[in-house]
Amino acid sequence: MLTYYSDDHRLQDGKAELIDGRLEPCHEAPVRADIVLRHVRAAGLGEIVAPGDHGLAPIARIHAANYLGFLQTAWPKWVAEHGDYDALPLNWAVRGMRSVEPDSIDGKLSYFSFDAGTPLTAGTWQAVYASAQVALGGAAAVGGGERMAFALCRPPGHHAAGDYFGGYCFLNNAAIAAQAFRDGGAERVAVLDVDYHHGNGTQTIFDDRSDVFFASIHADPRQEYPFFLGHADETGSGAGEGATANYPLPWGTAWGGYEQALEQAVGRIGTFGAEALVISLGVDSFKDDPISRFRLEHEDFLHIGAAIAGIGLPTLIVMEGGYAVDALGVNVVNVLKGYLDAA
């Protein structure tokens, strides 16, 4: 197994996020990737590989030009206006307001984001660009004949849509990889999101497309962030009708309920006719995760890995969430081991 990784992830190191009405230290921190990497090495799962530079073009296949321009230029504009501290948005366009891109940096931050938990910093662009390259490196390896690769992406990506960020995510690594598979010749691609939080960005990106199937197993949006997507009746629109499947589960879900949803999602992917599979791997469904409310145990992640292997497709596993730092490496490695043992 190849693991793709870049040290540039450390350049995204926000000081605080707004959570539970307070500014708190960011849950999404560099230590997350460092711990996962250490456990992958300790488990002897294979070579750690630098991703190379696949350029901006594959990222621009997913993200809007004005959004990418904003991410590349926002920091100096913020510093000029406010000073050298993390940038967070001020307000958002809601029902009854117009969605017109403002000129000021404060307005742009609000226009291109959907929460106040995702600080933009001096190193954000370099870190998220590198994270996308990690996903692209893994996709290239799988497209070139590797059965499976692990993209140790950080920052994560599945909450980022084509032109907005949030949920600790700026560029949608899984979507960029899925599009790379398509551009590499795969007629159909499936994305399975097993993060505790719904992959609203990925769903939005592929909502009206019939060539990419998106399935997500997540906490019910009536109870849990990001709240406004992920209901079971969202099945795609236009040409994409039927190419989205959501499996919202209630707080307190343990392996029994999770397994049923996973079996259904795997079944749907099996009938879609995909030629490549992208996994948005969040392990924040773990029972001790500080910002999640599922009840999965360490060994359950072995079963998730085995179920993914059972789909039988060339697979790229892309790192997303998981914030129980002490357990993070164990749970990620269990998914990878579960896959390798079953493949």
Side-chain angles (χ1 to χ4, degrees):
M1 183 194 85
L2 297 175
T3 293
Y4 284 80
Y5 167 83
S6 170
D7 278 331
D8 282 355
H9 77 86
R10 295 193 185 96
L11 296 170
Q12 173 64 12
D13 189 9
K15 300 300 181 290
E17 62 175 297
L18 182 63
I19 187 167
D20 297 334
R22 300 184 300 271
L23 281 174
E24 299 281 358
C26 293
H27 288 288
E28 206 297 289
V31 66
R32 297 180 59 251
D34 294 340
I35 283 177
V36 173
L37 183 66
R38 185 164 69 245
H39 277 78
V40 169
R41 282 181 169 146
L45 295 184
E47 187 178 358
I48 310 298
V49 184
D53 190 347
H54 300 264
L56 188 62
I59 299 172
R61 294 282 286 140
I62 292 297
H63 293 286
N66 64 333
Y67 176 61
L68 294 176
F70 161 77
L71 289 177
Q72 293 174 78
T73 62
W75 181 250
K77 293 178 180 178
W78 172 263
V79 171
E81 185 72 24
H82 296 285
D84 187 7
Y85 55 89
D86 290 359
L88 288 172
L90 182 65
N91 68 300
W92 296 272
V94 296
R95 293 168 294 280
M97 292 184 178
R98 294 181 63 189
S99 184
V100 177
E101 181 181 347
D103 294 330
S104 73
I105 185 59
D106 292 278
K108 287 181 183 295
L109 275 166
S110 297
Y111 180 80
F112 287 116
S113 70
F114 75 92
D115 72 12
T118 310
L120 191 148
T121 76
T124 295
W125 171 251
Q126 190 173 340
V128 301
Y129 180 85
S131 189
Q133 300 307 315
V134 167
L136 287 165
V142 174
E146 291 288 333
R147 179 66 176 174
M148 184 269 274
F150 174 42
L152 209 182
C153 293
R154 184 190 169 267
H158 72 147
H159 291 306
D163 63 354
Y164 63 75
F165 68 91
Y168 313 141
C169 304
F170 294 88
L171 297 177
N172 194 309
N173 305 307
I176 291 166
Q179 184 63 50
F181 281 129
R182 284 286 291 113
D183 293 340
E187 292 295 325
R188 288 186 161 200
V189 178
V191 179
L192 173 59
D193 192 320
V194 296
D195 193 280
Y196 171 83
H197 302 93
H198 179 251
N200 60 287
T202 314
Q203 177 174 313
T204 299
I205 288 165
F206 296 122
D207 179 70
D208 60 354
R209 289 176 52 171
S210 61
D211 59 332
V212 179
F213 180 80
F214 174 71
S216 180
I217 307 166
H218 53 271
D220 194 322
R222 290 181 175 86
Q223 295 178 304
E224 190 59 85
Y225 180 96
F227 298 114
F228 303 113
L229 275 181
H231 298 276
D233 63 353
E234 297 161 16
T235 58
S237 64
E241 175 60 44
T244 294
N246 283 303
Y247 301 92
L249 301 173
W251 282 343
T253 293
W255 177 246
Y258 195 96
E259 182 183 27
Q260 293 179 29
L262 181 59
E263 289 175 351
Q264 293 176 48
V266 166
R268 288 291 303 277
I269 291 169
T271 62
F272 179 68
E275 297 172 29
L277 174 64
V278 178
I279 304 297
S280 273
L281 176 60
V283 294
D284 39 3
S285 49
F286 181 58
K287 64 179 182 179
D288 293 330
D289 196 276
I291 59 172
S292 306
R293 302 197 190 188
F294 282 178
R295 304 297 302 164
L296 269 58
E297 306 279 352
H298 288 302
E299 59 269 22
D300 297 329
F301 294 98
L302 290 164
H303 303 318
I304 290 174
I308 293 167
I311 298 172
L313 292 172
T315 300
L316 175 66
I317 298 178
V318 176
M319 189 71 211
E320 301 285 3
Y323 308 99
V325 175
D326 292 340
L328 181 59
V330 172
N331 292 332
V332 171
V333 165
N334 277 357
V335 173
L336 301 176
K337 282 184 174 179
Y339 182 100
L340 294 171
D341 289 346

